[in-house]
Amino acid sequence: MRAPKRYNLWSFLPIAAGACWIAAGEGFGLLFTMLPGALLLTAGLALLFMPGDVRIPRMMAVGGILGLILASFFWAFDDGALLAVLLSVGSLILSGREGLHLMPTTPGIPPPPEDLATYARAAIDEALLGYFSGTASVPAGQAADDCIETLKAQREAVERLGFDRKPAALHGTPEAPEHVVWHNRSLFGMDYRSLHFDSEFAPHPELPGADAWKRFDATRQTAAWVFEHPDGEDRPWLLCVHGYRMGHPALDFSLFPPRVLHEKYGLNLLMPVLPLHGMRRCGWITGSQFLDGDLGDLLHAECQTLWDLRRHVAWLRARGVRRIGALGFSLGGYNTALLAQHEALDFAIAGIPVSDLADVLWPNLPDLHQRYFAHRGADPELLRAVLQPVAPLAHAPIIPHGRRFIFGGLADRLVPPAEVARLGAHWAVEPTWYPGGHVTFRGSGVVTRELRRAMEVAEWPTG
């Protein structure tokens, strides 16, 4: 983090962009140009007079993205909108720069590069943060009070029952499903199958919020995308754990490209859909109510996630599969690290992993909620205590040291490098760093390098 300035003169770039968009709109078109114009103008003024607020670059990035979307319409170049588009591009890049300058430095972690490409990668993260913040459900009124009381009661129950010290007593060991359902599917010219079976997860009855969790009917059946070679050979299986707001085949295949992992490397792929995601969602948007909404649901969401992942592993082992590795990104990295505490896999790769959900979630609550929660005795330490039974940092993995792999982005604005480093310290593994952001890891080559390292250590064929 850099020394603060009283006024940030770069603020005049989004101010000018916002003013140009507003001026460019006429009649019906003003309804479209007003949105990026208002966001950019507001972000620019906030950057000028209130520098340092993490929400400013997010607002600026969303405004810049919307400006670029408007540029795809030919009429948007009338009456000075071309200048607004160019200024939007500059504002978008500036949002990445300002976001990176707000990120504290951590000893032992290299700083991100200071160049336009890195700023652009960070800007995409800022826009995604803006989207998450704008679509997140936050408890209000009596629901906020109920959320606080549930968290306090959960902490008391977790500590009284000893689940913070012995999480296995909470989680149990799921058995392989006896009955499964298959569906043949195709996407982007790739044939695959979807696998479904009953989850059979039941929240612990003594944990507050257990009855409320049962309202999510769509989580009762699992779903997974499967790519399996038909040759009958004893091939390794890669368990692919997606991130937050994912769970749709098109999105998951972009994270775990079958043409590379399945066709080139010869792996069988199992891609479970996390609870409350994809076809298991309980709202309009995939992932809703997992990391947003009532925080009293989060402990149960993570308990079911772990249960479902282990049930998929049990299904593989019941079929005689001997070689299983796991690869997860972001929230999937968190759950891969959690799985490594309970399953003796061939390896575990935690990519851009969240290591402490309280650290990541709490700063993204609206300021008013943070102050109110603190007034009522709720803070990150409370959430951290509640999540001890499902915390990757709370207990040691059972996977051998040489089979644990971690990578993170130096310009990651969703999962800061310090988060990745904390898991690395807990695992006694030095993370592999790439110079990009959270979304742009796919172009860095780091996934291929780490996966090939893991496959070589596990003595898997590398294709």
Side-chain angles (χ1 to χ4, degrees), residues 353-386:
V354 178
S355 60
D356 187 331
L357 284 172
D359 271 354
V360 172
L361 291 179
W362 210 267
N364 287 293
L365 288 173
D367 284 352
L368 184 59
H369 281 72
Q370 292 187 46
R371 293 198 296 270
Y372 183 75
F373 278 31
H375 174 71
R376 293 289 310 279
D379 56 19
E381 289 303 321
L382 173 61
L383 182 58
R384 190 171 292 113
V386 168

Side-chain angles (χ1 to χ4, degrees), residues 11 103 109 199 216 240 276 384 401 452:
S11 60
M103 194 162 59
I109 302 177
S199 168
F216 297 124
C240 304
L276 298 177
R384 190 171 292 113
H401 173 265
R452 291 186 70 88

Side-chain angles (χ1 to χ4, degrees), residues 437-456:
H438 194 79
V439 178
T440 53
F441 70 88
R442 281 165 283 196
S444 68
V446 65
V447 178
T448 301
R449 293 193 297 271
E450 291 302 287
L451 179 58
R452 291 186 70 88
R453 283 180 58 204
M455 292 170 64
E456 289 170 0

Side-chain angles (χ1 to χ4, degrees), residues 107-171:
I109 302 177
E114 293 280 350
D115 55 47
L116 292 178
T118 303
Y119 296 157
R121 296 184 184 107
I124 297 174
D125 286 0
E126 294 291 347
L128 189 59
L129 280 168
Y131 164 72
F132 286 163
S133 300
T135 58
S137 171
V138 182
Q142 185 60 46
D145 291 331
D146 293 344
C147 173
I148 293 169
E149 293 307 314
T150 299
L151 289 174
K152 290 179 178 179
Q154 286 179 339
R155 176 178 61 186
E156 186 278 330
V158 164
E159 294 174 351
R160 172 172 51 84
L161 298 169
F163 295 153
D164 55 336
R165 301 180 300 277
K166 296 181 178 180
L170 168 62
H171 300 305

Side-chain angles (χ1 to χ4, degrees), residues 55-97:
R55 292 166 294 187
I56 295 174
R58 300 176 190 178
M59 189 187 311
M60 192 187 310
V62 172
I65 290 288
L66 290 175
L68 293 180
I69 293 174
L70 276 184
S72 64
F73 296 94
F74 69 93
W75 53 264
F77 290 99
D78 295 337
D79 300 324
L82 177 58
L83 177 60
V85 170
L86 297 176
L87 291 173
S88 295
V89 173
S91 299
L92 182 61
I93 294 174
L94 178 64
S95 72
R97 175 182 181 272

Side-chain angles (χ1 to χ4, degrees), residues 22-252:
I22 294 173
E26 291 184 2
F28 183 72
L30 183 61
L31 296 176
F32 294 93
T33 62
M34 179 62 73
L35 185 55
L39 287 171
L40 289 166
L41 183 59
T42 303
L45 291 172
L47 183 61
L48 178 62
F49 294 111
M50 299 179 293
D53 191 313
V54 296
R55 292 166 294 187
I56 295 174
R58 300 176 190 178
M59 189 187 311
M60 192 187 310
V62 172
I65 290 288
L66 290 175
L68 293 180
I69 293 174
L70 276 184
S72 64
F73 296 94
F74 69 93
W75 53 264
F77 290 99
D78 295 337
D79 300 324
L82 177 58
L83 177 60
V85 170
L86 297 176
L87 291 173
S88 295
V89 173
S91 299
L92 182 61
I93 294 174
L94 178 64
S95 72
R97 175 182 181 272
E98 295 302 317
L100 289 178
H101 288 176
L102 292 175
M103 194 162 59
T105 56
T106 303
I109 302 177
E114 293 280 350
D115 55 47
L116 292 178
T118 303
Y119 296 157
R121 296 184 184 107
I124 297 174
D125 286 0
E126 294 291 347
L128 189 59
L129 280 168
Y131 164 72
F132 286 163
S133 300
T135 58
S137 171
V138 182
Q142 185 60 46
D145 291 331
D146 293 344
C147 173
I148 293 169
E149 293 307 314
T150 299
L151 289 174
K152 290 179 178 179
Q154 286 179 339
R155 176 178 61 186
E156 186 278 330
V158 164
E159 294 174 351
R160 172 172 51 84
L161 298 169
F163 295 153
D164 55 336
R165 301 180 300 277
K166 296 181 178 180
L170 168 62
H171 300 305
T173 303
E175 297 180 353
E178 295 183 358
H179 176 69
V180 302
V181 176
W182 292 98
H183 294 292
N184 293 321
R185 298 177 180 269
S186 180
L187 183 68
F188 305 140
M190 296 179 292
D191 295 327
Y192 67 100
R193 294 188 294 171
S194 63
L195 168 70
H196 308 269
F197 52 78
D198 291 337
S199 168
E200 297 187 3
F201 170 77
H204 195 285
E206 293 189 60
L207 284 180
D211 289 338
W213 179 255
K214 295 176 184 177
R215 73 189 187 276
F216 297 124
D217 294 336
T219 65
R220 295 178 182 176
Q221 188 177 70
T222 68
W225 324 128
V226 178
F227 287 84
E228 183 175 10
H229 287 276
D231 52 20
E233 292 185 15
D234 181 22
R235 294 176 182 265
W237 282 78
L238 185 65
L239 186 70
C240 304
V241 190
H242 68 73
Y244 182 51
R245 301 289 197 195
M246 309 294 282
H248 291 298
L251 296 175
D252 296 347

